[in-house]
Amino acid sequence: MYLLCETPVIEDYLVESEEVNYCHITIKEKAEELYAGSLNEIDFVKRAFSFVRDSIAHSWDIQSSRITCNASEVLHFGEGICYAKSNLLCAILRSKGVPTGFCYQRLTLGDTPDTGYCIHALNAVYLQAIGKWIRLDARGNKAGVHAEFSLTEEKLAFPIRHEYGEIDYLHIYASPNPKTIQSLKQSTDGISTYLHGLPSTL
């Protein structure tokens, strides 16, 4: 598997934006807390990933109608869907100078193709210590979902079932996909959005 960067300029993966608002005081404080307790770059990335995966609830898992988008919102409310959680992980890591991007998969919304498709978001992180990008999925674990931090073999939340028309996009984007952000900003109810408002294509 070979990941393709959207841009060869590594600094593009350190940019602050409305969604990745890492200069917000709460993001800076959380990043500093995680960084201060870390042994090195890799340990910091692992701690940040574990925090977003385990301490920030996936809104669908807790059946919440709240919608969060910007990293600071996700941190404040402690919840979000994958689009929002990937914004938060990106912000925490970028705030400490770790290049971080966005990756996507096309998955069935339910267990079979007849349920329709949705775009799922995760992150890619460039680790200077090993000189390569790795993908991390901080969606949040539950029964049947076991995403882990790994430097070698990817351990993402969802296996791709090609026979179901699912797709693993191997590009690393510097910014969140506009369709994913639009789906959050135009919505008023998280549960309805998750069932009927997620984009099915990039």
Side-chain angles (χ1 to χ4, degrees):
M1 183 190 68
Y2 182 73
L3 299 175
L4 303 172
C5 290
E6 177 188 21
T7 166
V9 182
I10 198 69
E11 287 78 15
D12 290 344
Y13 294 95
L14 292 169
V15 172
E16 186 183 30
S17 66
E18 180 182 351
E19 293 79 32
V20 186
N21 57 337
Y22 61 74
C23 282
H24 193 282
I25 184 62
T26 59
I27 300 294
K28 292 171 68 175
E29 289 176 347
K30 176 53 67 175
E32 182 57 37
E33 173 192 328
L34 294 166
Y35 188 82
S38 302
L39 300 174
N40 50 40
E41 174 201 47
I42 291 176
D43 192 41
F44 168 60
V45 172
K46 183 177 181 179
R47 285 171 179 263
F49 163 72
S50 297
F51 168 75
V52 177
R53 182 193 65 185
D54 301 338
S55 298
I56 305 297
H58 190 287
S59 299
W60 175 257
D61 292 351
I62 61 173
Q63 289 293 283
S64 171
S65 61
R66 186 189 304 278
I67 296 171
T68 59
C69 181
N70 299 350
S72 57
E73 294 175 339
V74 183
L75 182 60
H76 176 75
F77 291 108
E79 67 170 276
I81 65 170
C82 61
Y83 306 159
K85 294 186 70 171
S86 62
N87 289 342
L88 176 57
L89 181 56
C90 183
I92 291 174
L93 295 179
R94 285 187 183 183
S95 73
K96 287 299 181 181
V98 179
T100 307
F102 297 86
C103 295
Y104 297 94
Q105 297 172 329
R106 180 181 186 247
L107 306 173
T108 58
L109 190 58
D111 291 328
T112 54
D114 61 290
T115 59
Y117 294 91
C118 66
I119 293 299
H120 172 62
L122 55 150
N123 295 103
V125 182
Y126 185 77
L127 296 172
Q128 297 182 36
I130 61 174
K132 73 173 187 178
W133 290 90
I134 64 169
R135 292 194 297 178
L136 299 172
D137 193 336
R139 178 233 178 266
N141 290 343
K142 61 177 184 175
V145 177
H146 300 285
E148 302 291 342
F149 180 89
S150 176
L151 298 178
T152 53
E153 179 184 2
E154 280 193 337
K155 298 181 180 180
L156 305 180
F158 303 104
I160 295 298
R161 301 172 295 181
H162 298 286
E163 66 274 19
Y164 283 2
E166 296 181 338
I167 302 171
D168 193 9
Y169 299 105
L170 299 180
H171 284 79
I172 305 172
Y173 298 94
S175 302
N177 182 274
K179 290 183 180 179
T180 65
I181 299 304
Q182 184 180 34
S183 72
L184 297 177
K185 291 188 172 182
Q186 291 185 344
S187 303
T188 57
D189 179 80
I191 293 176
S192 176
T193 298
Y194 197 81
L195 290 174
H196 309 293
L198 303 183
S200 59
T201 60
L202 288 182

